[in-house]
Amino acid sequence: MKSFAEVCAPGVWPGLRRAALLLAFLVAYLPLSFGAHSLQAETQPAESAAVGRLPAQAARAYAELLKLRPGPARQLLRAEPARAAATLLVQDCIDFTELMLSQDATRYEATVAAQDTRLELLERSAERSALRDYARAEIRLHQAAAQVTFGHEVQGAWSLRQAYQQMQAVVKRHPTYLPARKTLGLMQFFIGSLPEGYRWFLKLLGLPGSVEAGLSNLRAAARQPNDFQPEARILLALVEETYYKKPAEALALVTRLQQQQPDNLLYSYLLISLNKKQHRTDAALAAYRGRPTSPGYVALPYLHHMAADLLLYQGQYAASRRENELFLRDYQGQHYRKDAFFKLYLAAWLGGEAAAAEQYRRQIDAGGRTVIEEDTYAQRFFDGRQPLNRLLTRARLQIDGGYYREALTTLDAFRSTAATPLRDQLEAPYRRARAWHLLGRPDSARLLYARTIALAGNAPYYFAPQSALQLGYLYQADGQTNTAKVYFRKAQSYPRHEYKNSTDTKAKLALKELE
């Protein structure tokens, strides 16, 4: 058993912080209920209808928050009893959402203090209901996510422990109250999916986690009628899109929601994000340009960062730089800053502006943190001082943007010689493999992924582990389970590379699926 001093050692925290940031992102962007504005009493389980419903005014306030309109949400909430569980919960969702979206450290102490006050009021409340019990656990989870995100990891770890145990108790006490299963399932899944190197720490806290139990609880909340079913459906869709290769379902769901509520900035954000992840650059930019922008919406600077990537994929370098400059001007957080300066460097460098590119390159090292993998990659680029290859970089951006045949044409101009750095020798076949894979040519992709692995040895780059992961997926799709397992295990075996955390997690979950 490790000592508490070892638990508090700085090296322990990066994986937990990454997991908490992802959890915070989901909780912040999907705080309570995508369905609070469309309750259907006739389909609710009896217990939920009796003790778990949001009052009408609180539901309307929450509907405004889900559109990312906190000001109107607060106005509507003023008519509700100040100490009611529903009021306290929605108030906390508003404050927490603003904190997490702004990443403004000056709001942190006041937000956590307000959470403590709400938790004390709920503890002393005479109200006895599933909603009251759920609110306590949900607010504690918000607090855990905020604490870890803003560097208070020890407090955040214990808050996460409390939230987990409290939500377990809610499920036990109110077994038909499906919203609690939604949140408990989310925690179980992300704790259970953490790489093995961090599991001892969570077990020490009494948080074993379980991918299977988490998915079961999420699916129960997503598939059975309850006030919060739409939120559970989106959370489940995002999990399955990210870890289980089910992109079409998530995109179809978010597309329907955005069409039903074109004034909902959250739905627009999700539509942009999913299209971007699925290499649909034109659709993502269309969603970005069509997003609601009238007064009343919360500032969401990260949208500019996403747009900058999309424009970079298209080779619109000046426009990409403008969007990232807007992001850095308005964003108050520490994450994605290094990535933004790296993308600014790429836009200037590929655009032929060497002096500007060098200025941006130096700023990568000047600020921000290396918790998010994109920031870690940017910092490694700065520290490594190895020049990028212009053709390979352009091909990578074209593939990210969904322009696969254009990328293959770009790669045709690349020539490897004895003087070519090993990184470039590995990147060239890997990029070709990705292009053929995404064009639906698995045989060509397999050959090039295997070539990348053979060339790499134990080189500290992500091309070989990613090749192994993708080969695992290809053999899994073909029904060759044993071969797929070999490659998923190989993907986990590489000791260090830029995307080890996410690669290991995906390989781990794929292996569980094959058991």
Side-chain angles (χ1 to χ4, degrees), residues 354-384:
E358 178 57 21
Q359 288 182 341
Y360 290 133
R361 190 193 68 81
R362 290 175 181 173
Q363 288 176 286
I364 293 171
D365 194 47
R369 302 171 70 186
T370 53
V371 176
I372 305 298
E373 286 184 326
E374 292 89 337
D375 291 329
T376 301
Y377 182 92
Q379 187 65 46
R380 285 198 180 190
F381 161 74
F382 177 85
D383 293 338

PDB file of all heavy atoms in Angstrom, residues 354-384:
ATOM      1  N   ALA A 354       8.111  33.249 -42.106  1.00  0.00           N
ATOM      2  CA  ALA A 354       9.079  32.620 -41.210  1.00  0.00           C
ATOM      3  C   ALA A 354       9.258  33.388 -39.904  1.00  0.00           C
ATOM      4  O   ALA A 354       9.370  32.782 -38.824  1.00  0.00           O
ATOM      5  CB  ALA A 354      10.420  32.482 -41.924  1.00  0.00           C
ATOM      6  N   ALA A 355       9.298  34.706 -39.964  1.00  0.00           N
ATOM      7  CA  ALA A 355       9.521  35.501 -38.744  1.00  0.00           C
ATOM      8  C   ALA A 355       8.362  35.344 -37.772  1.00  0.00           C
ATOM      9  O   ALA A 355       8.555  35.148 -36.561  1.00  0.00           O
ATOM     10  CB  ALA A 355       9.714  36.971 -39.113  1.00  0.00           C
ATOM     11  N   ALA A 356       7.144  35.424 -38.272  1.00  0.00           N
ATOM     12  CA  ALA A 356       5.968  35.236 -37.413  1.00  0.00           C
ATOM     13  C   ALA A 356       5.938  33.825 -36.852  1.00  0.00           C
ATOM     14  O   ALA A 356       5.603  33.608 -35.676  1.00  0.00           O
ATOM     15  CB  ALA A 356       4.694  35.531 -38.193  1.00  0.00           C
ATOM     16  N   ALA A 357       6.287  32.851 -37.678  1.00  0.00           N
ATOM     17  CA  ALA A 357       6.300  31.468 -37.220  1.00  0.00           C
ATOM     18  C   ALA A 357       7.254  31.297 -36.045  1.00  0.00           C
ATOM     19  O   ALA A 357       6.924  30.628 -35.054  1.00  0.00           O
ATOM     20  CB  ALA A 357       6.692  30.546 -38.367  1.00  0.00           C
ATOM     21  N   GLU A 358       8.429  31.889 -36.129  1.00  0.00           N
ATOM     22  CA  GLU A 358       9.394  31.761 -35.046  1.00  0.00           C
ATOM     23  C   GLU A 358       8.878  32.415 -33.759  1.00  0.00           C
ATOM     24  O   GLU A 358       9.090  31.878 -32.658  1.00  0.00           O
ATOM     25  CB  GLU A 358      10.734  32.380 -35.458  1.00  0.00           C
ATOM     26  CG  GLU A 358      11.814  32.359 -34.380  1.00  0.00           C
ATOM     27  CD  GLU A 358      12.135  30.971 -33.859  1.00  0.00           C
ATOM     28  OE1 GLU A 358      11.845  29.972 -34.557  1.00  0.00           O
ATOM     29  OE2 GLU A 358      12.690  30.874 -32.747  1.00  0.00           O
ATOM     30  N   GLN A 359       8.194  33.537 -33.866  1.00  0.00           N
ATOM     31  CA  GLN A 359       7.616  34.179 -32.679  1.00  0.00           C
ATOM     32  C   GLN A 359       6.584  33.272 -32.015  1.00  0.00           C
ATOM     33  O   GLN A 359       6.559  33.118 -30.792  1.00  0.00           O
ATOM     34  CB  GLN A 359       6.981  35.510 -33.064  1.00  0.00           C
ATOM     35  CG  GLN A 359       7.981  36.607 -33.402  1.00  0.00           C
ATOM     36  CD  GLN A 359       7.295  37.922 -33.742  1.00  0.00           C
ATOM     37  OE1 GLN A 359       6.098  37.947 -34.069  1.00  0.00           O
ATOM     38  NE2 GLN A 359       8.032  39.008 -33.661  1.00  0.00           N
ATOM     39  N   TYR A 360       5.724  32.665 -32.824  1.00  0.00           N
ATOM     40  CA  TYR A 360       4.725  31.759 -32.271  1.00  0.00           C
ATOM     41  C   TYR A 360       5.382  30.531 -31.646  1.00  0.00           C
ATOM     42  O   TYR A 360       4.953  30.051 -30.589  1.00  0.00           O
ATOM     43  CB  TYR A 360       3.747  31.308 -33.360  1.00  0.00           C
ATOM     44  CG  TYR A 360       2.817  32.393 -33.866  1.00  0.00           C
ATOM     45  CD1 TYR A 360       2.622  32.578 -35.231  1.00  0.00           C
ATOM     46  CD2 TYR A 360       2.125  33.214 -32.979  1.00  0.00           C
ATOM     47  CE1 TYR A 360       1.757  33.552 -35.703  1.00  0.00           C
ATOM     48  CE2 TYR A 360       1.261  34.201 -33.445  1.00  0.00           C
ATOM     49  CZ  TYR A 360       1.080  34.369 -34.811  1.00  0.00           C
ATOM     50  OH  TYR A 360       0.228  35.337 -35.274  1.00  0.00           O
ATOM     51  N   ARG A 361       6.432  30.027 -32.288  1.00  0.00           N
ATOM     52  CA  ARG A 361       7.111  28.846 -31.754  1.00  0.00           C
ATOM     53  C   ARG A 361       7.645  29.117 -30.350  1.00  0.00           C
ATOM     54  O   ARG A 361       7.510  28.286 -29.444  1.00  0.00           O
ATOM     55  CB  ARG A 361       8.259  28.433 -32.682  1.00  0.00           C
ATOM     56  CG  ARG A 361       8.872  27.066 -32.351  1.00  0.00           C
ATOM     57  CD  ARG A 361      10.183  26.840 -33.088  1.00  0.00           C
ATOM     58  NE  ARG A 361      11.234  27.741 -32.605  1.00  0.00           N
ATOM     59  CZ  ARG A 361      11.945  27.527 -31.497  1.00  0.00           C
ATOM     60  NH1 ARG A 361      11.735  26.442 -30.763  1.00  0.00           N
ATOM     61  NH2 ARG A 361      12.880  28.376 -31.134  1.00  0.00           N
ATOM     62  N   ARG A 362       8.245  30.275 -30.140  1.00  0.00           N
ATOM     63  CA  ARG A 362       8.792  30.611 -28.830  1.00  0.00           C
ATOM     64  C   ARG A 362       7.699  30.717 -27.766  1.00  0.00           C
ATOM     65  O   ARG A 362       7.925  30.402 -26.599  1.00  0.00           O
ATOM     66  CB  ARG A 362       9.564  31.918 -28.910  1.00  0.00           C
ATOM     67  CG  ARG A 362      10.869  31.816 -29.707  1.00  0.00           C
ATOM     68  CD  ARG A 362      11.535  33.171 -29.855  1.00  0.00           C
ATOM     69  NE  ARG A 362      12.767  33.093 -30.644  1.00  0.00           N
ATOM     70  CZ  ARG A 362      13.449  34.150 -31.033  1.00  0.00           C
ATOM     71  NH1 ARG A 362      13.040  35.372 -30.694  1.00  0.00           N
ATOM     72  NH2 ARG A 362      14.553  33.990 -31.743  1.00  0.00           N
ATOM     73  N   GLN A 363       6.520  31.143 -28.164  1.00  0.00           N
ATOM     74  CA  GLN A 363       5.431  31.323 -27.197  1.00  0.00           C
ATOM     75  C   GLN A 363       4.840  29.993 -26.728  1.00  0.00           C
ATOM     76  O   GLN A 363       4.133  29.961 -25.715  1.00  0.00           O
ATOM     77  CB  GLN A 363       4.342  32.214 -27.796  1.00  0.00           C
ATOM     78  CG  GLN A 363       4.775  33.680 -27.889  1.00  0.00           C
ATOM     79  CD  GLN A 363       3.731  34.552 -28.563  1.00  0.00           C
ATOM     80  OE1 GLN A 363       3.547  34.492 -29.781  1.00  0.00           O
ATOM     81  NE2 GLN A 363       3.042  35.350 -27.784  1.00  0.00           N
ATOM     82  N   ILE A 364       5.107  28.920 -27.436  1.00  0.00           N
ATOM     83  CA  ILE A 364       4.643  27.609 -26.970  1.00  0.00           C
ATOM     84  C   ILE A 364       5.161  27.340 -25.564  1.00  0.00           C
ATOM     85  O   ILE A 364       4.445  26.813 -24.705  1.00  0.00           O
ATOM     86  CB  ILE A 364       5.109  26.500 -27.934  1.00  0.00           C
ATOM     87  CG1 ILE A 364       4.412  26.628 -29.292  1.00  0.00           C
ATOM     88  CG2 ILE A 364       4.847  25.110 -27.340  1.00  0.00           C
ATOM     89  CD1 ILE A 364       4.975  25.704 -30.364  1.00  0.00           C
ATOM     90  N   ASP A 365       6.407  27.731 -25.321  1.00  0.00           N
ATOM     91  CA  ASP A 365       7.054  27.433 -24.044  1.00  0.00           C
ATOM     92  C   ASP A 365       6.745  28.474 -22.966  1.00  0.00           C
ATOM     93  O   ASP A 365       7.102  28.273 -21.803  1.00  0.00           O
ATOM     94  CB  ASP A 365       8.566  27.374 -24.267  1.00  0.00           C
ATOM     95  CG  ASP A 365       9.311  26.750 -23.099  1.00  0.00           C
ATOM     96  OD1 ASP A 365       8.868  25.686 -22.613  1.00  0.00           O
ATOM     97  OD2 ASP A 365      10.336  27.319 -22.669  1.00  0.00           O
ATOM     98  N   ALA A 366       6.069  29.544 -23.339  1.00  0.00           N
ATOM     99  CA  ALA A 366       5.945  30.684 -22.427  1.00  0.00           C
ATOM    100  C   ALA A 366       4.828  30.541 -21.404  1.00  0.00           C
ATOM    101  O   ALA A 366       4.845  31.207 -20.369  1.00  0.00           O
ATOM    102  CB  ALA A 366       5.736  31.963 -23.229  1.00  0.00           C
ATOM    103  N   GLY A 367       3.836  29.716 -21.652  1.00  0.00           N
ATOM    104  CA  GLY A 367       2.724  29.627 -20.721  1.00  0.00           C
ATOM    105  C   GLY A 367       1.879  28.406 -20.999  1.00  0.00           C
ATOM    106  O   GLY A 367       2.162  27.612 -21.894  1.00  0.00           O
ATOM    107  N   GLY A 368       0.810  28.276 -20.194  1.00  0.00           N
ATOM    108  CA  GLY A 368      -0.065  27.129 -20.356  1.00  0.00           C
ATOM    109  C   GLY A 368       0.464  25.907 -19.622  1.00  0.00           C
ATOM    110  O   GLY A 368       1.531  25.934 -18.996  1.00  0.00           O
ATOM    111  N   ARG A 369      -0.305  24.820 -19.684  1.00  0.00           N
ATOM    112  CA  ARG A 369       0.033  23.593 -18.975  1.00  0.00           C
ATOM    113  C   ARG A 369       0.078  22.421 -19.955  1.00  0.00           C
ATOM    114  O   ARG A 369      -0.407  22.541 -21.081  1.00  0.00           O
ATOM    115  CB  ARG A 369      -1.009  23.325 -17.872  1.00  0.00           C
ATOM    116  CG  ARG A 369      -1.118  24.469 -16.873  1.00  0.00           C
ATOM    117  CD  ARG A 369      -2.300  24.283 -15.942  1.00  0.00           C
ATOM    118  NE  ARG A 369      -2.101  23.190 -15.013  1.00  0.00           N
ATOM    119  CZ  ARG A 369      -3.045  22.750 -14.168  1.00  0.00           C
ATOM    120  NH1 ARG A 369      -4.237  23.312 -14.173  1.00  0.00           N
ATOM    121  NH2 ARG A 369      -2.791  21.743 -13.354  1.00  0.00           N
ATOM    122  N   THR A 370       0.645  21.309 -19.505  1.00  0.00           N
ATOM    123  CA  THR A 370       0.754  20.127 -20.358  1.00  0.00           C
ATOM    124  C   THR A 370      -0.058  18.981 -19.757  1.00  0.00           C
ATOM    125  O   THR A 370       0.468  17.903 -19.467  1.00  0.00           O
ATOM    126  CB  THR A 370       2.217  19.713 -20.542  1.00  0.00           C
ATOM    127  OG1 THR A 370       2.831  19.573 -19.260  1.00  0.00           O
ATOM    128  CG2 THR A 370       2.969  20.726 -21.359  1.00  0.00           C
ATOM    129  N   VAL A 371      -1.327  19.220 -19.561  1.00  0.00           N
ATOM    130  CA  VAL A 371      -2.255  18.192 -19.085  1.00  0.00           C
ATOM    131  C   VAL A 371      -2.977  17.570 -20.270  1.00  0.00           C
ATOM    132  O   VAL A 371      -3.046  16.349 -20.398  1.00  0.00           O
ATOM    133  CB  VAL A 371      -3.265  18.788 -18.085  1.00  0.00           C
ATOM    134  CG1 VAL A 371      -4.298  17.749 -17.671  1.00  0.00           C
ATOM    135  CG2 VAL A 371      -2.535  19.339 -16.865  1.00  0.00           C
ATOM    136  N   ILE A 372      -3.514  18.427 -21.135  1.00  0.00           N
ATOM    137  CA  ILE A 372      -4.179  17.971 -22.346  1.00  0.00           C
ATOM    138  C   ILE A 372      -3.135  17.444 -23.322  1.00  0.00           C
ATOM    139  O   ILE A 372      -2.060  18.026 -23.480  1.00  0.00           O
ATOM    140  CB  ILE A 372      -4.966  19.134 -22.985  1.00  0.00           C
ATOM    141  CG1 ILE A 372      -5.949  19.738 -21.976  1.00  0.00           C
ATOM    142  CG2 ILE A 372      -5.687  18.686 -24.239  1.00  0.00           C
ATOM    143  CD1 ILE A 372      -7.001  18.791 -21.488  1.00  0.00           C
ATOM    144  N   GLU A 373      -3.450  16.336 -24.000  1.00  0.00           N
ATOM    145  CA  GLU A 373      -2.457  15.719 -24.875  1.00  0.00           C
ATOM    146  C   GLU A 373      -2.021  16.642 -26.006  1.00  0.00           C
ATOM    147  O   GLU A 373      -0.866  16.610 -26.425  1.00  0.00           O
ATOM    148  CB  GLU A 373      -3.004  14.403 -25.443  1.00  0.00           C
ATOM    149  CG  GLU A 373      -3.025  13.301 -24.400  1.00  0.00           C
ATOM    150  CD  GLU A 373      -3.479  11.972 -24.965  1.00  0.00           C
ATOM    151  OE1 GLU A 373      -4.340  11.974 -25.864  1.00  0.00           O
ATOM    152  OE2 GLU A 373      -2.984  10.931 -24.494  1.00  0.00           O
ATOM    153  N   GLU A 374      -2.914  17.481 -26.502  1.00  0.00           N
ATOM    154  CA  GLU A 374      -2.525  18.416 -27.552  1.00  0.00           C
ATOM    155  C   GLU A 374      -1.453  19.378 -27.065  1.00  0.00           C
ATOM    156  O   GLU A 374      -0.533  19.739 -27.823  1.00  0.00           O
ATOM    157  CB  GLU A 374      -3.746  19.199 -28.041  1.00  0.00           C
ATOM    158  CG  GLU A 374      -4.765  18.374 -28.788  1.00  0.00           C
ATOM    159  CD  GLU A 374      -5.810  17.749 -27.896  1.00  0.00           C
ATOM    160  OE1 GLU A 374      -5.546  17.561 -26.679  1.00  0.00           O
ATOM    161  OE2 GLU A 374      -6.899  17.421 -28.398  1.00  0.00           O
ATOM    162  N   ASP A 375      -1.569  19.820 -25.814  1.00  0.00           N
ATOM    163  CA  ASP A 375      -0.550  20.708 -25.250  1.00  0.00           C
ATOM    164  C   ASP A 375       0.770  19.972 -25.041  1.00  0.00           C
ATOM    165  O   ASP A 375       1.852  20.537 -25.239  1.00  0.00           O
ATOM    166  CB  ASP A 375      -1.038  21.299 -23.921  1.00  0.00           C
ATOM    167  CG  ASP A 375      -2.174  22.278 -24.098  1.00  0.00           C
ATOM    168  OD1 ASP A 375      -2.225  22.946 -25.148  1.00  0.00           O
ATOM    169  OD2 ASP A 375      -3.026  22.381 -23.196  1.00  0.00           O
ATOM    170  N   THR A 376       0.680  18.719 -24.622  1.00  0.00           N
ATOM    171  CA  THR A 376       1.888  17.913 -24.452  1.00  0.00           C
ATOM    172  C   THR A 376       2.618  17.755 -25.782  1.00  0.00           C
ATOM    173  O   THR A 376       3.854  17.868 -25.862  1.00  0.00           O
ATOM    174  CB  THR A 376       1.529  16.529 -23.890  1.00  0.00           C
ATOM    175  OG1 THR A 376       0.866  16.695 -22.629  1.00  0.00           O
ATOM    176  CG2 THR A 376       2.765  15.672 -23.699  1.00  0.00           C
ATOM    177  N   TYR A 377       1.862  17.508 -26.852  1.00  0.00           N
ATOM    178  CA  TYR A 377       2.461  17.372 -28.179  1.00  0.00           C
ATOM    179  C   TYR A 377       3.164  18.666 -28.584  1.00  0.00           C
ATOM    180  O   TYR A 377       4.291  18.644 -29.092  1.00  0.00           O
ATOM    181  CB  TYR A 377       1.378  17.017 -29.195  1.00  0.00           C
ATOM    182  CG  TYR A 377       1.907  16.804 -30.597  1.00  0.00           C
ATOM    183  CD1 TYR A 377       2.283  15.543 -31.027  1.00  0.00           C
ATOM    184  CD2 TYR A 377       2.055  17.865 -31.476  1.00  0.00           C
ATOM    185  CE1 TYR A 377       2.785  15.335 -32.305  1.00  0.00           C
ATOM    186  CE2 TYR A 377       2.558  17.687 -32.749  1.00  0.00           C
ATOM    187  CZ  TYR A 377       2.917  16.422 -33.162  1.00  0.00           C
ATOM    188  OH  TYR A 377       3.421  16.233 -34.420  1.00  0.00           O
ATOM    189  N   ALA A 378       2.486  19.794 -28.350  1.00  0.00           N
ATOM    190  CA  ALA A 378       3.075  21.087 -28.706  1.00  0.00           C
ATOM    191  C   ALA A 378       4.371  21.332 -27.943  1.00  0.00           C
ATOM    192  O   ALA A 378       5.375  21.802 -28.504  1.00  0.00           O
ATOM    193  CB  ALA A 378       2.078  22.210 -28.433  1.00  0.00           C
ATOM    194  N   GLN A 379       4.384  21.004 -26.653  1.00  0.00           N
ATOM    195  CA  GLN A 379       5.588  21.212 -25.848  1.00  0.00           C
ATOM    196  C   GLN A 379       6.717  20.299 -26.316  1.00  0.00           C
ATOM    197  O   GLN A 379       7.880  20.705 -26.357  1.00  0.00           O
ATOM    198  CB  GLN A 379       5.284  20.972 -24.367  1.00  0.00           C
ATOM    199  CG  GLN A 379       6.427  21.336 -23.431  1.00  0.00           C
ATOM    200  CD  GLN A 379       6.745  22.828 -23.447  1.00  0.00           C
ATOM    201  OE1 GLN A 379       5.838  23.653 -23.379  1.00  0.00           O
ATOM    202  NE2 GLN A 379       8.022  23.183 -23.537  1.00  0.00           N
ATOM    203  N   ARG A 380       6.381  19.073 -26.671  1.00  0.00           N
ATOM    204  CA  ARG A 380       7.418  18.164 -27.177  1.00  0.00           C
ATOM    205  C   ARG A 380       8.003  18.677 -28.489  1.00  0.00           C
ATOM    206  O   ARG A 380       9.195  18.522 -28.744  1.00  0.00           O
ATOM    207  CB  ARG A 380       6.833  16.761 -27.368  1.00  0.00           C
ATOM    208  CG  ARG A 380       6.627  16.003 -26.080  1.00  0.00           C
ATOM    209  CD  ARG A 380       6.473  14.523 -26.341  1.00  0.00           C
ATOM    210  NE  ARG A 380       6.279  13.783 -25.120  1.00  0.00           N
ATOM    211  CZ  ARG A 380       6.299  12.455 -25.042  1.00  0.00           C
ATOM    212  NH1 ARG A 380       6.525  11.742 -26.125  1.00  0.00           N
ATOM    213  NH2 ARG A 380       6.101  11.851 -23.895  1.00  0.00           N
ATOM    214  N   PHE A 381       7.145  19.250 -29.318  1.00  0.00           N
ATOM    215  CA  PHE A 381       7.660  19.842 -30.552  1.00  0.00           C
ATOM    216  C   PHE A 381       8.664  20.943 -30.230  1.00  0.00           C
ATOM    217  O   PHE A 381       9.744  21.016 -30.819  1.00  0.00           O
ATOM    218  CB  PHE A 381       6.511  20.408 -31.384  1.00  0.00           C
ATOM    219  CG  PHE A 381       6.952  21.403 -32.417  1.00  0.00           C
ATOM    220  CD1 PHE A 381       7.613  20.988 -33.567  1.00  0.00           C
ATOM    221  CD2 PHE A 381       6.732  22.765 -32.236  1.00  0.00           C
ATOM    222  CE1 PHE A 381       8.043  21.914 -34.514  1.00  0.00           C
ATOM    223  CE2 PHE A 381       7.155  23.694 -33.176  1.00  0.00           C
ATOM    224  CZ  PHE A 381       7.815  23.265 -34.318  1.00  0.00           C
ATOM    225  N   PHE A 382       8.323  21.798 -29.275  1.00  0.00           N
ATOM    226  CA  PHE A 382       9.231  22.893 -28.901  1.00  0.00           C
ATOM    227  C   PHE A 382      10.527  22.343 -28.315  1.00  0.00           C
ATOM    228  O   PHE A 382      11.623  22.773 -28.685  1.00  0.00           O
ATOM    229  CB  PHE A 382       8.557  23.819 -27.891  1.00  0.00           C
ATOM    230  CG  PHE A 382       9.458  24.921 -27.401  1.00  0.00           C
ATOM    231  CD1 PHE A 382       9.577  26.103 -28.117  1.00  0.00           C
ATOM    232  CD2 PHE A 382      10.209  24.766 -26.241  1.00  0.00           C
ATOM    233  CE1 PHE A 382      10.430  27.115 -27.683  1.00  0.00           C
ATOM    234  CE2 PHE A 382      11.055  25.759 -25.800  1.00  0.00           C
ATOM    235  CZ  PHE A 382      11.166  26.941 -26.523  1.00  0.00           C
ATOM    236  N   ASP A 383      10.401  21.399 -27.394  1.00  0.00           N
ATOM    237  CA  ASP A 383      11.590  20.873 -26.720  1.00  0.00           C
ATOM    238  C   ASP A 383      12.483  20.084 -27.667  1.00  0.00           C
ATOM    239  O   ASP A 383      13.709  20.102 -27.547  1.00  0.00           O
ATOM    240  CB  ASP A 383      11.177  19.976 -25.547  1.00  0.00           C
ATOM    241  CG  ASP A 383      10.495  20.755 -24.431  1.00  0.00           C
ATOM    242  OD1 ASP A 383      10.699  21.982 -24.350  1.00  0.00           O
ATOM    243  OD2 ASP A 383       9.753  20.124 -23.652  1.00  0.00           O
ATOM    244  N   GLY A 384      11.867  19.379 -28.610  1.00  0.00           N
ATOM    245  CA  GLY A 384      12.645  18.526 -29.499  1.00  0.00           C
ATOM    246  C   GLY A 384      13.463  19.281 -30.516  1.00  0.00           C
ATOM    247  O   GLY A 384      14.516  18.814 -30.965  1.00  0.00           O
TER     248      GLY A 384
END
